[in-house]
mmCIF file of all heavy atoms in Angstrom:
data_model
loop_
_atom_site.group_PDB
_atom_site.id
_atom_site.type_symbol
_atom_site.label_atom_id
_atom_site.label_comp_id
_atom_site.label_asym_id
_atom_site.label_seq_id
_atom_site.Cartn_x
_atom_site.Cartn_y
_atom_site.Cartn_z
ATOM 1 N N CYS R 1 21.849 -36.833 21.727
ATOM 2 C CA CYS R 1 21.154 -36.604 23.004
ATOM 3 C C CYS R 1 19.746 -37.193 22.976
ATOM 4 O O CYS R 1 19.301 -37.826 23.946
ATOM 5 C CB CYS R 1 21.102 -35.108 23.314
ATOM 6 S SG CYS R 1 22.696 -34.383 23.752
ATOM 7 N N ASN R 2 19.036 -36.981 21.884
ATOM 8 C CA ASN R 2 17.685 -37.537 21.763
ATOM 9 C C ASN R 2 17.719 -39.060 21.799
ATOM 10 O O ASN R 2 16.847 -39.706 22.396
ATOM 11 C CB ASN R 2 17.036 -37.058 20.457
ATOM 12 C CG ASN R 2 16.371 -35.710 20.598
ATOM 13 O OD1 ASN R 2 15.698 -35.456 21.583
ATOM 14 N ND2 ASN R 2 16.578 -34.837 19.636
ATOM 15 N N ALA R 3 18.716 -39.650 21.153
ATOM 16 C CA ALA R 3 18.829 -41.108 21.132
ATOM 17 C C ALA R 3 19.087 -41.653 22.541
ATOM 18 O O ALA R 3 18.502 -42.675 22.941
ATOM 19 C CB ALA R 3 19.946 -41.533 20.190
ATOM 20 N N ILE R 4 19.940 -40.967 23.295
ATOM 21 C CA ILE R 4 20.218 -41.379 24.673
ATOM 22 C C ILE R 4 18.957 -41.289 25.520
ATOM 23 O O ILE R 4 18.629 -42.195 26.299
ATOM 24 C CB ILE R 4 21.339 -40.507 25.282
ATOM 25 C CG1 ILE R 4 22.670 -40.781 24.576
ATOM 26 C CG2 ILE R 4 21.471 -40.770 26.782
ATOM 27 C CD1 ILE R 4 23.784 -39.857 25.003
ATOM 28 N N LYS R 5 18.213 -40.194 25.350
ATOM 29 C CA LYS R 5 16.993 -40.002 26.127
ATOM 30 C C LYS R 5 15.966 -41.089 25.816
ATOM 31 O O LYS R 5 15.387 -41.690 26.734
ATOM 32 C CB LYS R 5 16.395 -38.627 25.828
ATOM 33 C CG LYS R 5 15.125 -38.333 26.614
ATOM 34 C CD LYS R 5 14.589 -36.948 26.291
ATOM 35 C CE LYS R 5 13.307 -36.669 27.068
ATOM 36 N NZ LYS R 5 12.760 -35.327 26.758
ATOM 37 N N GLN R 6 15.740 -41.359 24.535
ATOM 38 C CA GLN R 6 14.754 -42.362 24.158
ATOM 39 C C GLN R 6 15.168 -43.758 24.629
ATOM 40 O O GLN R 6 14.341 -44.533 25.121
ATOM 41 C CB GLN R 6 14.547 -42.342 22.644
ATOM 42 C CG GLN R 6 13.864 -41.078 22.145
ATOM 43 C CD GLN R 6 13.703 -41.054 20.642
ATOM 44 O OE1 GLN R 6 14.059 -41.996 19.958
ATOM 45 N NE2 GLN R 6 13.180 -39.966 20.110
ATOM 46 N N ASP R 7 16.457 -44.088 24.481
ATOM 47 C CA ASP R 7 16.938 -45.397 24.925
ATOM 48 C C ASP R 7 16.797 -45.548 26.438
ATOM 49 O O ASP R 7 16.376 -46.610 26.930
ATOM 50 C CB ASP R 7 18.397 -45.568 24.518
ATOM 51 C CG ASP R 7 18.979 -46.892 24.999
ATOM 52 O OD1 ASP R 7 18.541 -47.939 24.489
ATOM 53 O OD2 ASP R 7 19.848 -46.881 25.887
ATOM 54 N N THR R 8 17.121 -44.490 27.175
ATOM 55 C CA THR R 8 17.025 -44.543 28.640
ATOM 56 C C THR R 8 15.572 -44.691 29.080
ATOM 57 O O THR R 8 15.257 -45.467 29.995
ATOM 58 C CB THR R 8 17.641 -43.273 29.252
ATOM 59 O OG1 THR R 8 18.992 -43.134 28.804
ATOM 60 C CG2 THR R 8 17.628 -43.348 30.771
ATOM 61 N N GLU R 9 14.667 -43.937 28.443
ATOM 62 C CA GLU R 9 13.241 -44.056 28.777
ATOM 63 C C GLU R 9 12.744 -45.471 28.516
ATOM 64 O O GLU R 9 12.015 -46.047 29.335
ATOM 65 C CB GLU R 9 12.431 -43.056 27.952
ATOM 66 C CG GLU R 9 12.589 -41.613 28.395
ATOM 67 C CD GLU R 9 11.818 -40.657 27.516
ATOM 68 O OE1 GLU R 9 11.496 -41.043 26.369
ATOM 69 O OE2 GLU R 9 11.530 -39.532 27.966
ATOM 70 N N THR R 10 13.132 -46.050 27.383
ATOM 71 C CA THR R 10 12.694 -47.401 27.035
ATOM 72 C C THR R 10 13.171 -48.412 28.071
ATOM 73 O O THR R 10 12.407 -49.278 28.533
ATOM 74 C CB THR R 10 13.229 -47.794 25.639
ATOM 75 O OG1 THR R 10 12.715 -46.878 24.670
ATOM 76 C CG2 THR R 10 12.789 -49.204 25.275
ATOM 77 N N ARG R 11 14.430 -48.292 28.458
ATOM 78 C CA ARG R 11 14.988 -49.224 29.450
ATOM 79 C C ARG R 11 14.304 -49.059 30.805
ATOM 80 O O ARG R 11 13.984 -50.054 31.478
ATOM 81 C CB ARG R 11 16.490 -48.992 29.575
ATOM 82 C CG ARG R 11 17.269 -49.356 28.323
ATOM 83 C CD ARG R 11 18.704 -48.844 28.371
ATOM 84 N NE ARG R 11 19.471 -49.488 29.430
ATOM 85 C CZ ARG R 11 20.712 -49.137 29.756
ATOM 86 N NH1 ARG R 11 21.309 -48.137 29.097
ATOM 87 N NH2 ARG R 11 21.370 -49.765 30.716
ATOM 88 N N LEU R 12 14.080 -47.805 31.209
ATOM 89 C CA LEU R 12 13.469 -47.558 32.514
ATOM 90 C C LEU R 12 12.023 -48.047 32.541
ATOM 91 O O LEU R 12 11.588 -48.672 33.525
ATOM 92 C CB LEU R 12 13.533 -46.071 32.850
ATOM 93 C CG LEU R 12 12.985 -45.686 34.235
ATOM 94 C CD1 LEU R 12 13.815 -46.340 35.326
ATOM 95 C CD2 LEU R 12 12.980 -44.174 34.413
ATOM 96 N N PHE R 13 11.274 -47.769 31.475
ATOM 97 C CA PHE R 13 9.875 -48.206 31.434
ATOM 98 C C PHE R 13 9.773 -49.735 31.442
ATOM 99 O O PHE R 13 8.849 -50.309 32.036
ATOM 100 C CB PHE R 13 9.183 -47.647 30.193
ATOM 101 C CG PHE R 13 9.004 -46.156 30.223
ATOM 102 C CD1 PHE R 13 8.849 -45.415 29.047
ATOM 103 C CD2 PHE R 13 9.000 -45.459 31.430
ATOM 104 C CE1 PHE R 13 8.698 -44.043 29.078
ATOM 105 C CE2 PHE R 13 8.847 -44.085 31.466
ATOM 106 C CZ PHE R 13 8.697 -43.376 30.293
ATOM 107 N N LYS R 14 10.706 -50.415 30.790
ATOM 108 C CA LYS R 14 10.712 -51.878 30.791
ATOM 109 C C LYS R 14 10.940 -52.414 32.204
ATOM 110 O O LYS R 14 10.252 -53.349 32.648
ATOM 111 C CB LYS R 14 11.792 -52.389 29.854
ATOM 112 C CG LYS R 14 11.821 -53.910 29.742
ATOM 113 C CD LYS R 14 12.897 -54.368 28.766
ATOM 114 C CE LYS R 14 12.919 -55.893 28.676
ATOM 115 N NZ LYS R 14 13.976 -56.362 27.733
ATOM 116 N N ILE R 15 11.896 -51.807 32.902
ATOM 117 C CA ILE R 15 12.163 -52.224 34.285
ATOM 118 C C ILE R 15 10.957 -51.944 35.167
ATOM 119 O O ILE R 15 10.572 -52.764 36.008
ATOM 120 C CB ILE R 15 13.410 -51.487 34.825
ATOM 121 C CG1 ILE R 15 14.662 -51.964 34.083
ATOM 122 C CG2 ILE R 15 13.559 -51.704 36.326
ATOM 123 C CD1 ILE R 15 15.909 -51.181 34.417
ATOM 124 N N GLN R 16 10.335 -50.777 34.967
ATOM 125 C CA GLN R 16 9.158 -50.423 35.761
ATOM 126 C C GLN R 16 8.023 -51.417 35.530
ATOM 127 O O GLN R 16 7.340 -51.830 36.478
ATOM 128 C CB GLN R 16 8.706 -49.006 35.424
ATOM 129 C CG GLN R 16 7.569 -48.504 36.308
ATOM 130 C CD GLN R 16 7.174 -47.077 35.971
ATOM 131 O OE1 GLN R 16 7.260 -46.657 34.816
ATOM 132 N NE2 GLN R 16 6.763 -46.324 36.967
ATOM 133 N N ASP R 17 7.813 -51.810 34.276
ATOM 134 C CA ASP R 17 6.773 -52.806 33.976
ATOM 135 C C ASP R 17 7.075 -54.129 34.671
ATOM 136 O O ASP R 17 6.157 -54.801 35.181
ATOM 137 C CB ASP R 17 6.678 -53.015 32.467
ATOM 138 C CG ASP R 17 6.050 -51.838 31.742
ATOM 139 O OD1 ASP R 17 5.391 -51.029 32.424
ATOM 140 O OD2 ASP R 17 6.221 -51.722 30.511
ATOM 141 N N GLU R 18 8.340 -54.522 34.680
ATOM 142 C CA GLU R 18 8.718 -55.770 35.338
ATOM 143 C C GLU R 18 8.489 -55.704 36.847
ATOM 144 O O GLU R 18 8.019 -56.674 37.459
ATOM 145 C CB GLU R 18 10.187 -56.079 35.043
ATOM 146 C CG GLU R 18 10.454 -56.419 33.584
ATOM 147 C CD GLU R 18 11.938 -56.519 33.271
ATOM 148 O OE1 GLU R 18 12.751 -56.199 34.161
ATOM 149 O OE2 GLU R 18 12.275 -56.931 32.137
ATOM 150 N N ILE R 19 8.812 -54.558 37.448
ATOM 151 C CA ILE R 19 8.586 -54.374 38.885
ATOM 152 C C ILE R 19 7.095 -54.478 39.210
ATOM 153 O O ILE R 19 6.685 -55.143 40.170
ATOM 154 C CB ILE R 19 9.144 -53.015 39.344
ATOM 155 C CG1 ILE R 19 10.672 -53.012 39.251
ATOM 156 C CG2 ILE R 19 8.690 -52.695 40.770
ATOM 157 C CD1 ILE R 19 11.301 -51.654 39.493
ATOM 158 N N LYS R 20 6.262 -53.824 38.379
ATOM 159 C CA LYS R 20 4.817 -53.870 38.604
ATOM 160 C C LYS R 20 4.278 -55.279 38.409
ATOM 161 O O LYS R 20 3.382 -55.728 39.144
ATOM 162 C CB LYS R 20 4.114 -52.897 37.657
ATOM 163 C CG LYS R 20 4.352 -51.431 37.984
ATOM 164 C CD LYS R 20 3.608 -50.526 37.010
ATOM 165 C CE LYS R 20 3.798 -49.060 37.362
ATOM 166 N NZ LYS R 20 3.100 -48.155 36.420
ATOM 167 N N ALA R 21 4.785 -55.990 37.411
ATOM 168 C CA ALA R 21 4.311 -57.347 37.146
ATOM 169 C C ALA R 21 4.640 -58.275 38.308
ATOM 170 O O ALA R 21 3.811 -59.106 38.714
ATOM 171 C CB ALA R 21 4.942 -57.867 35.855
ATOM 172 N N VAL R 22 5.834 -58.133 38.855
ATOM 173 C CA VAL R 22 6.220 -58.970 40.004
ATOM 174 C C VAL R 22 5.346 -58.657 41.208
ATOM 175 O O VAL R 22 4.874 -59.575 41.913
ATOM 176 C CB VAL R 22 7.712 -58.743 40.342
ATOM 177 C CG1 VAL R 22 8.059 -59.416 41.677
ATOM 178 C CG2 VAL R 22 8.594 -59.289 39.244
ATOM 179 N N ALA R 23 5.115 -57.355 41.454
ATOM 180 C CA ALA R 23 4.285 -56.964 42.603
ATOM 181 C C ALA R 23 2.861 -57.490 42.452
ATOM 182 O O ALA R 23 2.252 -57.978 43.424
ATOM 183 C CB ALA R 23 4.287 -55.444 42.735
ATOM 184 N N LEU R 24 2.318 -57.404 41.241
ATOM 185 C CA LEU R 24 0.959 -57.889 41.008
ATOM 186 C C LEU R 24 0.883 -59.397 41.178
ATOM 187 O O LEU R 24 -0.062 -59.924 41.777
ATOM 188 C CB LEU R 24 0.506 -57.489 39.596
ATOM 189 C CG LEU R 24 -0.890 -57.976 39.171
ATOM 190 C CD1 LEU R 24 -1.954 -57.421 40.107
ATOM 191 C CD2 LEU R 24 -1.187 -57.569 37.731
ATOM 192 N N ARG R 25 1.873 -60.098 40.661
ATOM 193 C CA ARG R 25 1.879 -61.558 40.777
ATOM 194 C C ARG R 25 1.937 -61.983 42.246
ATOM 195 O O ARG R 25 1.222 -62.897 42.673
ATOM 196 C CB ARG R 25 3.064 -62.138 40.013
ATOM 197 C CG ARG R 25 3.094 -63.666 40.025
ATOM 198 C CD ARG R 25 4.257 -64.187 39.209
ATOM 199 N NE ARG R 25 4.295 -65.639 39.220
ATOM 200 C CZ ARG R 25 3.597 -66.408 38.404
ATOM 201 N NH1 ARG R 25 2.810 -65.858 37.488
ATOM 202 N NH2 ARG R 25 3.682 -67.736 38.478
ATOM 203 N N GLU R 26 2.789 -61.311 43.023
ATOM 204 C CA GLU R 26 2.897 -61.646 44.436
ATOM 205 C C GLU R 26 1.578 -61.391 45.172
ATOM 206 O O GLU R 26 1.180 -62.167 46.043
ATOM 207 C CB GLU R 26 4.026 -60.841 45.068
ATOM 208 C CG GLU R 26 5.414 -61.259 44.586
ATOM 209 C CD GLU R 26 6.503 -60.391 45.158
ATOM 210 O OE1 GLU R 26 6.174 -59.341 45.766
ATOM 211 O OE2 GLU R 26 7.695 -60.729 44.980
ATOM 212 N N LYS R 27 0.911 -60.305 44.773
ATOM 213 C CA LYS R 27 -0.374 -59.987 45.405
ATOM 214 C C LYS R 27 -1.422 -61.041 45.080
ATOM 215 O O LYS R 27 -2.181 -61.498 45.951
ATOM 216 C CB LYS R 27 -0.845 -58.606 44.945
ATOM 217 C CG LYS R 27 -2.176 -58.189 45.521
ATOM 218 C CD LYS R 27 -2.577 -56.809 45.027
ATOM 219 C CE LYS R 27 -3.929 -56.398 45.590
ATOM 220 N NZ LYS R 27 -4.357 -55.058 45.090
ATOM 221 N N LEU R 28 -1.459 -61.441 43.810
ATOM 222 C CA LEU R 28 -2.451 -62.428 43.391
ATOM 223 C C LEU R 28 -2.153 -63.815 43.979
ATOM 224 O O LEU R 28 -3.066 -64.563 44.344
ATOM 225 C CB LEU R 28 -2.493 -62.504 41.861
ATOM 226 C CG LEU R 28 -3.009 -61.257 41.136
ATOM 227 C CD1 LEU R 28 -2.902 -61.437 39.628
ATOM 228 C CD2 LEU R 28 -4.449 -60.950 41.524
ATOM 229 N N MET R 29 -0.864 -64.146 44.048
ATOM 230 C CA MET R 29 -0.481 -65.449 44.586
ATOM 231 C C MET R 29 -0.876 -65.589 46.051
ATOM 232 O O MET R 29 -1.125 -66.698 46.546
ATOM 233 C CB MET R 29 1.029 -65.639 44.432
ATOM 234 C CG MET R 29 1.486 -65.862 43.000
ATOM 235 S SD MET R 29 1.009 -67.475 42.344
ATOM 236 C CE MET R 29 2.177 -68.518 43.221
ATOM 237 N N SER R 30 -0.923 -64.463 46.749
ATOM 238 C CA SER R 30 -1.265 -64.500 48.178
ATOM 239 C C SER R 30 -2.772 -64.516 48.426
ATOM 240 O O SER R 30 -3.211 -64.658 49.562
ATOM 241 C CB SER R 30 -0.639 -63.293 48.882
ATOM 242 O OG SER R 30 -1.207 -62.079 48.401
ATOM 243 N N ASP R 31 -3.570 -64.341 47.352
ATOM 244 C CA ASP R 31 -5.029 -64.324 47.484
ATOM 245 C C ASP R 31 -5.560 -65.724 47.187
ATOM 246 O O ASP R 31 -5.492 -66.203 46.057
ATOM 247 C CB ASP R 31 -5.625 -63.314 46.506
ATOM 248 C CG ASP R 31 -7.119 -63.081 46.739
ATOM 249 O OD1 ASP R 31 -7.767 -63.952 47.363
ATOM 250 O OD2 ASP R 31 -7.618 -62.041 46.294
ATOM 251 N N PRO R 32 -6.140 -66.405 48.171
ATOM 252 C CA PRO R 32 -6.618 -67.780 47.962
ATOM 253 C C PRO R 32 -7.805 -67.878 47.009
ATOM 254 O O PRO R 32 -8.115 -68.961 46.514
ATOM 255 C CB PRO R 32 -7.015 -68.228 49.377
ATOM 256 C CG PRO R 32 -7.319 -66.955 50.099
ATOM 257 C CD PRO R 32 -6.365 -65.946 49.553
ATOM 258 N N LEU R 33 -8.464 -66.749 46.738
ATOM 259 C CA LEU R 33 -9.641 -66.775 45.869
ATOM 260 C C LEU R 33 -9.283 -66.530 44.401
ATOM 261 O O LEU R 33 -10.162 -66.528 43.540
ATOM 262 C CB LEU R 33 -10.646 -65.713 46.329
ATOM 263 C CG LEU R 33 -11.177 -65.874 47.763
ATOM 264 C CD1 LEU R 33 -12.141 -64.747 48.083
ATOM 265 C CD2 LEU R 33 -11.858 -67.225 47.933
ATOM 266 N N VAL R 34 -7.999 -66.315 44.123
ATOM 267 C CA VAL R 34 -7.603 -66.001 42.764
ATOM 268 C C VAL R 34 -6.750 -67.148 42.196
ATOM 269 O O VAL R 34 -5.797 -67.604 42.829
ATOM 270 C CB VAL R 34 -6.778 -64.694 42.718
ATOM 271 C CG1 VAL R 34 -6.255 -64.444 41.307
ATOM 272 C CG2 VAL R 34 -7.633 -63.527 43.174
ATOM 273 N N ASP R 35 -7.129 -67.612 41.003
ATOM 274 C CA ASP R 35 -6.352 -68.624 40.287
ATOM 275 C C ASP R 35 -5.752 -67.966 39.049
ATOM 276 O O ASP R 35 -6.438 -67.750 38.048
ATOM 277 C CB ASP R 35 -7.243 -69.799 39.884
ATOM 278 C CG ASP R 35 -6.460 -70.915 39.206
ATOM 279 O OD1 ASP R 35 -5.248 -70.722 38.962
ATOM 280 O OD2 ASP R 35 -7.055 -71.965 38.918
ATOM 281 N N ILE R 36 -4.465 -67.642 39.132
ATOM 282 C CA ILE R 36 -3.837 -66.898 38.038
ATOM 283 C C ILE R 36 -3.562 -67.776 36.829
ATOM 284 O O ILE R 36 -3.111 -67.282 35.791
ATOM 285 C CB ILE R 36 -2.524 -66.244 38.506
ATOM 286 C CG1 ILE R 36 -1.497 -67.308 38.893
ATOM 287 C CG2 ILE R 36 -2.774 -65.262 39.635
ATOM 288 C CD1 ILE R 36 -0.131 -66.738 39.187
ATOM 289 N N THR R 37 -3.837 -69.072 36.909
ATOM 290 C CA THR R 37 -3.610 -69.952 35.756
ATOM 291 C C THR R 37 -4.800 -69.980 34.812
ATOM 292 O O THR R 37 -4.711 -70.529 33.707
ATOM 293 C CB THR R 37 -3.323 -71.382 36.226
ATOM 294 O OG1 THR R 37 -4.494 -71.930 36.878
ATOM 295 C CG2 THR R 37 -2.150 -71.420 37.191
ATOM 296 N N ILE R 38 -5.945 -69.388 35.224
ATOM 297 C CA ILE R 38 -7.128 -69.371 34.362
ATOM 298 C C ILE R 38 -6.941 -68.343 33.260
ATOM 299 O O ILE R 38 -6.651 -67.175 33.535
ATOM 300 C CB ILE R 38 -8.399 -69.036 35.180
ATOM 301 C CG1 ILE R 38 -8.638 -70.100 36.244
ATOM 302 C CG2 ILE R 38 -9.610 -68.912 34.255
ATOM 303 C CD1 ILE R 38 -9.818 -69.779 37.147
ATOM 304 N N PRO R 39 -7.081 -68.721 31.980
ATOM 305 C CA PRO R 39 -6.931 -67.756 30.880
ATOM 306 C C PRO R 39 -7.982 -66.658 30.954
ATOM 307 O O PRO R 39 -9.127 -66.889 31.361
ATOM 308 C CB PRO R 39 -7.138 -68.607 29.622
ATOM 309 C CG PRO R 39 -6.907 -70.016 30.073
ATOM 310 C CD PRO R 39 -7.347 -70.080 31.504
ATOM 311 N N ARG R 40 -7.586 -65.452 30.573
ATOM 312 C CA ARG R 40 -8.551 -64.353 30.527
ATOM 313 C C ARG R 40 -9.504 -64.537 29.362
ATOM 314 O O ARG R 40 -9.122 -65.035 28.291
ATOM 315 C CB ARG R 40 -7.816 -63.021 30.378
ATOM 316 C CG ARG R 40 -7.047 -62.613 31.627
ATOM 317 C CD ARG R 40 -6.344 -61.289 31.428
ATOM 318 N NE ARG R 40 -5.297 -61.385 30.429
ATOM 319 C CZ ARG R 40 -4.563 -60.363 30.012
ATOM 320 N NH1 ARG R 40 -4.795 -59.159 30.501
ATOM 321 N NH2 ARG R 40 -3.620 -60.529 29.101
ATOM 322 N N LEU R 41 -10.749 -64.109 29.559
ATOM 323 C CA LEU R 41 -11.772 -64.252 28.527
ATOM 324 C C LEU R 41 -12.049 -62.913 27.851
ATOM 325 O O LEU R 41 -12.001 -61.854 28.485
ATOM 326 C CB LEU R 41 -13.068 -64.795 29.157
ATOM 327 C CG LEU R 41 -12.944 -66.134 29.892
ATOM 328 C CD1 LEU R 41 -14.271 -66.494 30.541
ATOM 329 C CD2 LEU R 41 -12.505 -67.232 28.931
ATOM 330 N N ASN R 42 -12.351 -62.973 26.554
ATOM 331 C CA ASN R 42 -12.758 -61.783 25.785
ATOM 332 C C ASN R 42 -11.754 -60.636 25.922
ATOM 333 O O ASN R 42 -12.130 -59.472 26.096
ATOM 334 C CB ASN R 42 -14.152 -61.316 26.222
ATOM 335 C CG ASN R 42 -15.205 -62.375 26.019
ATOM 336 O OD1 ASN R 42 -15.175 -63.109 25.031
ATOM 337 N ND2 ASN R 42 -16.132 -62.485 26.969
ATOM 338 N N THR R 43 -10.489 -60.976 25.881
ATOM 339 C CA THR R 43 -9.447 -59.953 26.020
ATOM 340 C C THR R 43 -9.258 -59.205 24.697
ATOM 341 O O THR R 43 -9.052 -59.813 23.654
ATOM 342 C CB THR R 43 -8.119 -60.592 26.431
ATOM 343 O OG1 THR R 43 -8.308 -61.258 27.674
ATOM 344 C CG2 THR R 43 -7.039 -59.529 26.598
ATOM 345 N N LYS R 44 -9.333 -57.903 24.765
ATOM 346 C CA LYS R 44 -9.119 -57.070 23.586
ATOM 347 C C LYS R 44 -7.764 -56.387 23.694
ATOM 348 O O LYS R 44 -7.405 -55.856 24.748
ATOM 349 C CB LYS R 44 -10.217 -56.012 23.452
ATOM 350 C CG LYS R 44 -11.583 -56.578 23.123
ATOM 351 C CD LYS R 44 -12.586 -55.449 22.896
ATOM 352 C CE LYS R 44 -13.951 -55.995 22.502
ATOM 353 N NZ LYS R 44 -14.930 -54.900 22.275
ATOM 354 N N ARG R 45 -7.014 -56.415 22.624
ATOM 355 C CA ARG R 45 -5.716 -55.756 22.614
ATOM 356 C C ARG R 45 -5.882 -54.275 22.277
ATOM 357 O O ARG R 45 -6.661 -53.904 21.402
ATOM 358 C CB ARG R 45 -4.797 -56.419 21.597
ATOM 359 C CG ARG R 45 -4.485 -57.872 21.901
ATOM 360 C CD ARG R 45 -3.445 -58.410 20.957
ATOM 361 N NE ARG R 45 -2.177 -57.704 21.127
ATOM 362 C CZ ARG R 45 -1.101 -57.948 20.387
ATOM 363 N NH1 ARG R 45 -1.147 -58.859 19.427
ATOM 364 N NH2 ARG R 45 0.012 -57.275 20.589
ATOM 365 N N GLY R 46 -5.157 -53.465 22.985
ATOM 366 C CA GLY R 46 -5.225 -52.039 22.720
ATOM 367 C C GLY R 46 -4.390 -51.668 21.503
ATOM 368 O O GLY R 46 -3.690 -52.501 20.919
ATOM 369 N N THR R 47 -4.463 -50.416 21.112
ATOM 370 C CA THR R 47 -3.694 -49.935 19.966
ATOM 371 C C THR R 47 -3.313 -48.478 20.188
ATOM 372 O O THR R 47 -3.968 -47.769 20.963
ATOM 373 C CB THR R 47 -4.518 -50.054 18.670
ATOM 374 O OG1 THR R 47 -3.734 -49.604 17.569
ATOM 375 C CG2 THR R 47 -5.777 -49.211 18.737
#
């Protein structure tokens, strides 16, 4: 049961991240003042 729960959460969270990424990309693509091809500067990875 625990394995099913963890696997389902992982799959759902992955899909949710993809949905959010698509929505954000569409929003940015529609903004003429934003160039999404510019690399981010001083990006720190979380832990």
Side-chain angles (χ1 to χ4, degrees):
C1 290
N2 275 317
I4 293 173
K5 181 179 179 181
Q6 292 178 2
D7 178 68
T8 304
E9 287 178 339
T10 299
R11 293 168 65 186
L12 183 63
F13 292 157
K14 183 179 180 181
I15 292 173
Q16 186 178 32
D17 288 342
E18 292 171 353
I19 292 172
K20 290 181 178 179
V22 170
L24 178 60
R25 183 178 180 84
E26 291 176 349
K27 179 180 179 181
L28 293 176
M29 289 289 286
S30 65
D31 189 339
L33 300 179
V34 175
D35 183 355
I36 64 172
T37 65
I38 298 176
R40 290 180 294 177
L41 303 176
N42 300 322
T43 300
K44 292 185 177 180
R45 297 187 64 182
T47 181

